[in-house]
Structure formats: C-alpha cells, structure tokens
Amino acid sequence: MKRKGIVVALALGIMVPALHPSQAATKKEVKIESISFNGSRVPTTAEEMSKPFTTASVVVKYTDGKTKNFPLTYKQLFKTTDRFKMSNGETFSAGTPTDYYGDPITDKSVDGKPVHYVSDAPDANSLLRPMKDGSLYLVSHYEYDSLDNAGNPAWRRVPASMTLTKLYQNMKTGELKIATVDKIDVSTVNGLWVPCNGSLTPWNTHLSSEEYEPDARSFEFDTQDKTSQSTAHLKDFAKLYFDDEKKANPYYYGFIPEVFVSSDGMTRVVKHYSTGRRSNELMVVMPDERTAYFGDDGEYTMLFMYVADKPRDLSAGTLYAAKFVQTSAENGGAGNLEWIKLGHATDKEIKRIIDKGIKFSDIFEVSNEPKEGFTPVKQYSGQGANYGKIEYLKLKPGMEKAAAFLETRRYAAMLGATSEFNKMEGLAVNAKDKKVYVAISDISKGMEKNAQDPTDHIQFAKVKAGAVYELSLKPGQKNTAGEPINSGYAAVSMKALLVGEDLARPDAYGNKANVNKIAGPDNLSFSEDYRTLFIGEDSSQHINNFVWAYNVDTKKLSRILSVPAGAEATGLQAADNRNGFSYIMSNFQHPGDELDNFAPTAVKLEDVKKAINATYGINQAGAVGYIQGLPNIQKLQEELKKQQKAQQSKKKK
C-alpha cells in the first residue's frame, strides 16, 4: 500500500522510499511490495496421508500490481536407514549410533544375533552458513531409537548420535544432494543423551541438546526401580556406550553440547556445564551473542535465561530462572517475568565437581513429608520414583553452586521460580522486534489452577492443542535482588500469540483439534527475510502433523507441509541465504506411531498404515529433508534491479 509518499512492504518489514514526482512522470521503479504463502490443503487420501505432502506456494507481489508464484516441494535427502561409508571405513545407516570407540552399536534382542540399532527419530537440523569456499554442511540429530529389533521400547536406553552431512548445491536450481555423511564424535563429552531440538549460533556453530535429564535422586536411591530411565535406562546406556555399566552417571547429561565444524569438515564437541542442567529442548542465542533462552521439556518445568561473560563464548556465565506473574488467563494467558539469579559458573568449575563424583545426597537433605527447614517443590524429575510428586528439600551448606548448575530446576524452585510450565518446546528469536517465541505444546497440568501444588503462579484454561507465546525483550532490567542484569535482551513479559483449538469430538479424519489452527506446536524457527515464524507440530491432536508459516506483520497463518500420519515434524530451520538460495529444513520422525489413538471414518486407518509401512516401516525409519522453492529475497531484489537497469540502458540506446 502507499501512504504519504512511502511504499510499505508489510510482509517484509521493509520501508522503501517512493519516487520523486519528477521521476514518477517517466517510469515508476518496480519493487517487491509483499511476500506471502498460499497454504496447502489437508491430505485426504491414504496415499497423501502416508508421505510428506504440500500444495503450498510463495506469492511475490510487486508494486506494479504483478505477482509471481513459486510452488513449494518437499525434498528428502535421506532416510535414517540409508547406509553410507563413514570415515572409519565402515558402512552403516545414518541413524545408527556409535559407541565411545566410534563403532556401530549393535542390538542382540533377536536370538542374540548382533544387528545395528537404527534410530527412527531424526530431529534438529543446522544447515550451517557457507564456509569460505562455499561448502555447505548440515548437522542433524538422531534423538532416540523407538524400538529394538524385537519390538521392545528402546527409548533412552540406546545412546544417541549426530551426523555431519556435506552437501552438493546445484547453483542453478538450489537443489541439495548428499556428498558425504559421517558420525560426529562425542566421546570427549561422555556420549550424547536424547538430543532433541537444536539451533545455529550467530557465529555458525551448532547447539545440540540433552532432553529429559536422568534424575540423580532416583538413580542414587531407587536402584531397584526397573522402569526408571534414571536407573535401568542409564545403566543400559552406559553398557552400550562405554561397555561399562559402572560409568553410568546422571550428572554427565542434561547439558548443551556445542558442535564446531571447520571448513574441511572436521568436528569438535564441547559440553557447556555452566548453562545449567535441565530437560534441554534447545538453547537459542540472542543477537548480542551472549544472552540465551532454553526450552525445558516435560511437566512442571521452567523458563531459564543465561548471560555469558563474553560474546561467542558459552564457557562461563550467569544463570537466571523466571518467576511468572500472571496478568491474564484469557486467550492462552499472559504475564510478566521476574528473574531470579541462580549463580555464576564456568564449565571447568562444574565439570570439576562432576568428576569428583558428586551425588544427589551431597547436595540436598530430603524429607518424605513437610518438615521445618525443608522447602516443598514440584518439578520434572526424569520419570524416576519421584515423578509427579512434591519433594521436601534442604540445601546442604556450601552447595549453592552445585545445586544451581547440576540440580538447576530443583534449586530454582526452592528460590521461588515458577516450575509449572508444561511441554515447553522450541524457541525462536525475532531480532528486529526483540521478541522470543516459545512453544507450549500442551496447556495443561501445572499450567492449570491447582491449589495442591507448592506454588500456583500459572492458572490458565486447559488447551490440549497448545499455544505459541511471545516474549518481549528489554535492556536495563534488574533481578529480584535488585542487581542489574548485564543484558539488553532480558524478557519482561509473556503472552499467547497463537492458540490451538480443541474439538468437542473428532472430525472425520480423527483429528481432535481444528486442522486450520496449530496443535502441539514444537519446533520453531524465524526468518528475518520473510518476517515469518515457522512452526512444526508434535501433536497427538492432528493425525498428520503440519508445518506452518505465520507472518508476524500480516498475522496470516498458512499450512505449508504435512508429514506422514503419526510422525512428528522435526528439524525445522529457516535458512534464509545459503549461496543465494533459501530453504526450510524439515525432518520427520517415527511415522505411523500411535495411529491407533485416532479413529478416522473418511479413510481406512489400515490403508494409511499399509502405505506408511511400504515406504518407511512403522516406527522403523524417519527422514531428513527440506522444503525447496522459496525465492531468496536478496536475490530477487538484486535481479529486479539488474532487469530495470538493463531496460533503462536499452532505452537510452
């Protein structure tokens, strides 16, 4: 639109000067006015529901009224079961985890015959910015293995892994193809525990994650609990990774590993102990290259902020936990945020404490009932024996630092932080507007009113379909002790931006939430070029999970991809400019999972299962891929200028 001599490119957030009247008399300069998405329809047949599906496109509108349509397609790079020759000379599947020595980890669940484990759960992607020679590398997570070869649950029992993929890029079409795939060595950080989502730092390193941290209290005291991930699961993990059950240590895991990739494809992994220990969905760094926020997945979890001492260096910093002060329960809820300082530490300090063999009982005294001097807390406890229960804790003298960085959630709850968030998943940063977006995939449990909990800071209405929240960031803030927070990116408020809609009864395809709204928002990624927030679903509410595009200026929500029925949309990353091309990285994991929880009448469920099984196998293989066809904004603008310059030159001749 035009107003007072200025063309406002709403969808791009670009202010473009209008032509001077004397120039307008000749020929108006054509510019990009807006960019939007035409959404994809919902898949309706068993065949469409069994695979990645999209009919979406990008529409570019110019100031002369013309438009150009760019159809989107999904490109699968590889399945987790696809085999590649690794640097150690062996050939095995991309999703096969490796042990401390770099050898493939084998499953002997069927007749004792060793067969490689293969993850069906590819998660985070970081398509790194091009190296100096233009080379493109992709870091990908393999979160877990759903089932062993005998069909038994293998979740968290089997060590996880990451791959580094070198990509060929077609410089005419932008299509990506595989050059090499190799495993990233994590032996220097005691292996990798449940790497969920991840992020790309401003300095072009990959931040991994370790979700659902093992519960150290349960591991120490509930040794006979055969179902706890903190006992049986962690011991199985150590046996498979180290070939030594005695090396099982819950304090090895629950941190943020950072992956450094050199131009020749060599990798180095550092685990950041000073960022605190929690159920890390991911860590996202702000534009100041010092401040970061975390997704803390599970029930009764927390919002944390970390401020590094130095830019681009996450080895030392100050950790804070949020206290939520509710201001509204309407439309997903809203509130203000106060920050409680937990402490300052370096990676070396915390690792030294771990290496000395610290145990939970060295940090806290415990009581099974209310007792003077003990603080009641309720927080996610790794599905150990204390899962879902109120704990009564007393900090032992001199253990503040160990508590803050090894028992981060427990200690923060003791200091009064809010431990009521439920399924806090992905985050993304909008640098221009100084906003952070947080996905809550399910508004329930701790986020509902519950006077029986130790605190009841959050009292929202239940929405199983979840919501995406917006955090506003400001400089000059102080913590609850009145001390300055040394960051210009401290979050001061939190409000619902997009809220899902639960259905009173399932629709004809078995969906339990409105298919034209988000449900189970999980992965988030923001494109500065498109001024668009991308949202990937992990939902038991939609039979096919979707990837959405939400323009923060026009407020338009568009469905741009659906993944196979029963699969989770993962690995979401908006990569704005990679050698002149733009991509949306998007994986999917465990296709066909939990389909029996849906009862469609418009399509036969068995036909959907059969189609998925023919291509991927139910809970057998996930896929790493991307959405292609997005025009690169910078490239479009440059081409437009060249065309107009050429036309002007031609007229002069």
Side-chain angles (χ1 to χ4, degrees), residues 612-642:
I612 291 172
N613 202 45
T615 305
Y616 301 104
I618 302 293
N619 282 344
Q620 294 298 314
V624 173
Y626 64 99
I627 299 172
Q628 187 177 341
L630 287 88
N632 179 271
I633 307 305
Q634 297 173 34
K635 196 172 182 180
L636 273 183
Q637 291 171 329
E638 290 170 2
E639 289 174 351
L640 199 56
K641 287 180 180 179
K642 286 180 181 178

Side-chain angles (χ1 to χ4, degrees), residues 52-54 71-79 125 138 173-177 561 583-588 616 623-629:
F53 176 83
T54 183
L72 302 181
T73 57
Y74 184 78
K75 298 286 186 179
Q76 184 173 293
L77 286 169
F78 58 84
K79 293 190 293 185
N125 285 318
L138 174 70
T173 66
E175 184 175 0
L176 302 175
K177 291 188 177 181
L561 179 71
Y583 307 93
I584 301 172
M585 304 306 299
S586 186
N587 301 341
F588 58 86
Y616 301 104
V624 173
Y626 64 99
I627 299 172
Q628 187 177 341

Side-chain angles (χ1 to χ4, degrees), residues 35 69 81 89 146 203 263 326 349 367 398 448 467 542 568 622 650:
I35 293 185
N69 192 66
T81 49
S146 292
W203 55 95
S263 57
Q326 185 167 316
E349 283 181 296
S367 174
E448 297 178 83
H542 287 163
E568 174 185 347
K650 188 176 181 181

Side-chain angles (χ1 to χ4, degrees), residues 42-54 74 76 79 509 543-545 562-567 588-593 595 603-618 621-623:
V42 176
T44 56
T45 67
E47 179 64 21
E48 289 175 348
M49 294 171 70
S50 71
K51 61 185 181 182
F53 176 83
T54 183
Y74 184 78
Q76 184 173 293
K79 293 190 293 185
Y509 289 88
I543 188 168
N544 285 89
N545 281 317
S562 66
V563 297
F588 58 86
Q589 60 180 230
H590 54 71
D593 189 37
L595 281 182
V603 66
K604 291 182 179 179
L605 191 61
E606 289 306 312
D607 289 346
V608 178
K609 289 181 179 179
K610 185 177 180 181
I612 291 172
N613 202 45
T615 305
Y616 301 104
I618 302 293

Side-chain angles (χ1 to χ4, degrees), residues 251-437:
Y251 289 134
Y252 281 167
Y253 311 106
F255 298 101
I256 296 291
E258 183 174 11
V259 182
F260 298 80
V261 181
S262 62
S263 57
D264 60 358
M266 299 299 291
T267 58
R268 177 172 62 91
V269 181
V270 175
K271 196 172 282 191
H272 291 301
Y273 303 98
S274 67
T275 59
R277 184 171 170 270
R278 66 186 69 78
S279 178
N280 283 302
E281 173 79 13
L282 83 166
M283 175 181 183
V284 174
V285 180
M286 300 301 101
D288 65 352
E289 302 182 341
R290 295 176 58 245
T291 309
Y293 292 89
F294 307 80
D296 188 15
D297 201 356
E299 302 169 15
Y300 288 89
T301 61
M302 297 180 146
L303 178 63
F304 294 97
M305 175 177 66
Y306 177 80
V307 182
D309 292 351
K310 301 176 183 178
R312 301 191 172 198
D313 182 356
L314 305 176
S315 66
T318 304
L319 187 61
Y320 299 86
K323 180 180 179 181
F324 183 84
V325 182
Q326 185 167 316
T327 57
S328 173
E330 303 299 317
N331 300 317
N336 295 322
L337 296 171
E338 299 175 357
W339 292 101
I340 298 170
K341 182 179 176 180
L342 303 185
H344 175 277
T346 67
D347 287 350
K348 289 181 179 179
E349 283 181 296
I350 304 307
K351 187 175 186 301
R352 193 178 303 123
I353 293 172
I354 297 169
D355 291 344
K356 286 182 178 179
I358 193 170
K359 302 187 297 297
F360 178 87
S361 60
D362 296 324
I363 303 172
F364 296 112
E365 290 183 48
V366 300
S367 174
N368 294 324
E369 58 188 24
K371 187 176 179 181
E372 186 177 352
F374 287 74
T375 304
V377 301
K378 189 174 182 180
Q379 55 86 48
Y380 178 79
S381 56
Q383 294 189 355
N386 299 293
Y387 182 70
K389 297 179 181 179
I390 296 175
E391 300 179 283
Y392 301 91
L393 304 175
K394 183 178 181 181
L395 186 68
K396 290 189 174 181
M399 300 308 293
E400 288 82 3
K401 184 159 291 192
F405 295 92
L406 296 180
E407 292 291 345
T408 306
R409 202 182 303 104
R410 282 184 168 106
Y411 185 60
M414 291 176 71
L415 295 182
T418 300
S419 60
E420 299 159 33
F421 291 102
N422 187 66
K423 296 298 293 176
M424 182 186 288
E425 304 275 0
L427 297 94
V429 57
N430 171 349
K432 180 182 177 183
D433 299 336
K434 296 192 78 169
K435 305 289 187 184
V436 165
Y437 305 106

Side-chain angles (χ1 to χ4, degrees), residues 329-333 422-423 439-449 458-469 496 498-503 512-514 517-521 538-541:
E330 303 299 317
N331 300 317
N422 187 66
K423 296 298 293 176
I440 298 288
S441 69
D442 177 359
I443 304 173
S444 66
K445 300 178 182 177
M447 297 182 75
E448 297 178 83
K449 186 175 182 178
I458 306 176
Q459 301 178 14
F460 293 169
K462 183 177 183 178
V463 184
K464 291 295 292 180
V468 174
Y469 289 82
L498 292 168
V499 184
E501 180 186 344
D502 299 339
L503 298 178
K512 303 168 190 176
N514 188 337
K517 294 184 178 181
I518 62 170
D538 174 14
S539 169
S540 58
Q541 308 302 301

